Amino acid sequence: MTRQTFLTQNRSIFWFLLALAVFVLIVTVLSEATGNGMISTSFVKTLGKTLCLMLVAIAMDVVWGYTGILSLGHMAFFGIGGYMIGMWLMYARTEIIVSESLRAAAIPPTPEEIHDAIGTQIFGVVGSSDFPLIWAFASSFWAQLALVVLVPGVLALVFGWLAFRSRVTGVYLSILTQAMTLALSLYLFQNDSGLRGNNGLSGLQNLPGLDAVPQAQVSIAFFWASAVALGAGYLLFAWVVSGKMGSVIRGIRDNESRVRFLGYHVESYKLFVFTLTGIVAGIAGALYYPQAGIINPNEIAPIASIYLAVWVAIGGRGRLYGAALGAAFVSLLSSWFTGGGVPSIPLGFYTIQWTDWWLVLLGVSFVAVTLLAPKGIGGLFDLITARHAVPERVGDLGPDKGARRTVEGEEER
């Protein structure tokens, strides 16, 4: 029996990365920064944000589609990553503005005076001028970059450990993750949360020290970074769902009790997947919000995580490329409908405004896909690959002599 390599077992990796590379090349050539300007800077930002949403959707697919954990809290990790990098962006940009404004003073300001002035500029909107403890490392880019990974990771680790050790599963676990998200968003809405309450962090698109760099170049740089992160995330998760680990987590999804009976420490596998996907969601958020320009507690509200689950369901659970396609399809369609791209439909007695009806359309689409096409958009590729499917290999691979079994790890991802 010829042993297959990781890449040959996962044929979708090659095609996904190839499609991503071609897409990046086309956008780059047509952008205002490096090409002929057929694609506007604002649309490049939209595409960059879409790549970040595709990455968090893949993470959601691993935790839900492969492991069977319907998390309604992964957009909380996404938002936390955005807050962590947003703190440095806002502090560093405000520091430059304050330093330049005080430069003409007759008496040079002390570092303490500059620090106090920065605090007044940032927190004056909530009636404060003191830096909360959580801003202790806001002046350090590398420290905040580390917190992009550490804070979502630690939160996912602690929450997952408490939930999984208690063997909370199914809908009860989903409710717990949603409660965590709701509690976090409600806390961040408070002005004394340290993150400016409902105002959030703004002006994140203005990178400190790069005021002379056109936004067209900044947007294409973030677009490239988002594409690299998406490609690396796809490779990482394709490895996670392959081989023995992939078989175990799919076994947990299908029959957790049987996997535990076979001697596997189910809680450890679930905790690993939950924590890893939380970290990747935080990284995706750290790339998303500098392109969006602002983050506030609404981004962490439970409805955002529900949207994420809808994207994955429409794209096709249990397929990494399906989750990515679902996120791209729904998010771009949402931008088109809610951005006024679709004309209104006058009916005489009523005018359909798609900005108001988009969520209804999304809900109907979700129900239709669930009932009529449970494999989602990714299932369309089954129709193509079924014509070229490799005959199932048989042999003495099961516990009984002559049992018919597929070779572990050969299913397409």
Side-chain angles (χ1 to χ4, degrees), residues 361-390:
L361 180 61
L362 179 62
V364 171
S365 302
F366 174 66
V367 173
V369 168
T370 302
L371 296 178
L372 305 177
K375 293 183 178 180
I377 297 175
L380 297 176
F381 290 90
D382 292 346
L383 302 177
I384 301 174
T385 57
R387 301 178 181 178
H388 308 286
V390 178

Side-chain angles (χ1 to χ4, degrees), residues 278-293:
I279 291 173
V280 172
I283 295 172
L287 287 169
Y288 179 92
Y289 288 105
Q291 299 177 81

Side-chain angles (χ1 to χ4, degrees), residues 152-173:
V154 170
L155 179 59
L157 180 66
V158 172
F159 178 88
W161 182 77
L162 292 173
F164 300 143
R165 71 186 292 268
S166 302
R167 298 191 178 181
V168 181
T169 59
V171 65
Y172 302 104
L173 181 57

Side-chain angles (χ1 to χ4, degrees), residues 126-139:
V126 293
S128 177
S129 61
D130 298 326
F131 277 97
L133 183 61
I134 59 175
W135 286 73
F137 303 103
S139 60

Side-chain angles (χ1 to χ4, degrees), residues 255-316:
N255 195 324
E256 182 176 325
S257 299
R258 179 172 294 181
V259 174
R260 182 177 286 109
F261 178 76
L262 291 173
Y264 291 98
H265 196 268
V266 171
E267 288 71 27
S268 296
Y269 281 92
K270 293 168 73 173
L271 185 59
F272 170 77
V273 170
F274 193 79
T275 303
L276 179 63
T277 54
I279 291 173
V280 172
I283 295 172
L287 287 169
Y288 179 92
Y289 288 105
Q291 299 177 81
I294 185 173
I295 178 173
N296 58 52
N298 285 316
E299 306 292 332
I300 299 180
I303 189 64
S305 294
I306 295 175
Y307 288 155
L308 179 60
V310 171
W311 299 344
V312 174
I314 291 177

Side-chain angles (χ1 to χ4, degrees), residues 16 19 29 31-32 44 56 58-59 70 72 89 101 119 172 178 238 263 302 312 322 329 331 334 339 351 365 399:
F16 183 86
V29 170
S31 68
E32 295 180 0
V44 170
V56 72
I58 291 174
L70 176 53
L72 297 179
L89 288 169
S101 63
Y172 302 104
Q178 190 175 39
V312 174
F329 176 75
S331 62
S334 174
T351 300
S365 302

Side-chain angles (χ1 to χ4, degrees), residues 69-153:
I69 303 172
L70 176 53
S71 170
L72 297 179
H74 264 58
M75 285 303 282
F77 305 131
F78 184 82
I80 290 173
Y83 266 110
M84 291 302 104
I85 198 63
M87 289 163 67
W88 174 78
L89 288 169
M90 198 163 189
Y91 183 94
R93 180 174 56 85
T94 306
E95 183 180 29
I96 293 174
I97 295 174
V98 169
S99 298
E100 290 180 350
S101 63
L102 295 178
R103 186 176 300 168
I107 301 176
T110 64
E112 290 77 12
E113 290 174 333
I114 294 177
H115 183 76
D116 292 341
I118 295 172
T120 301
Q121 285 289 327
I122 294 176
F123 300 106
V125 69
V126 293
S128 177
S129 61
D130 298 326
F131 277 97
L133 183 61
I134 59 175
W135 286 73
F137 303 103
S139 60
S140 172
F141 169 74
W142 296 108
Q144 289 299 133
L145 202 60
L147 291 177
V148 166
V149 175
L150 290 176
V151 176

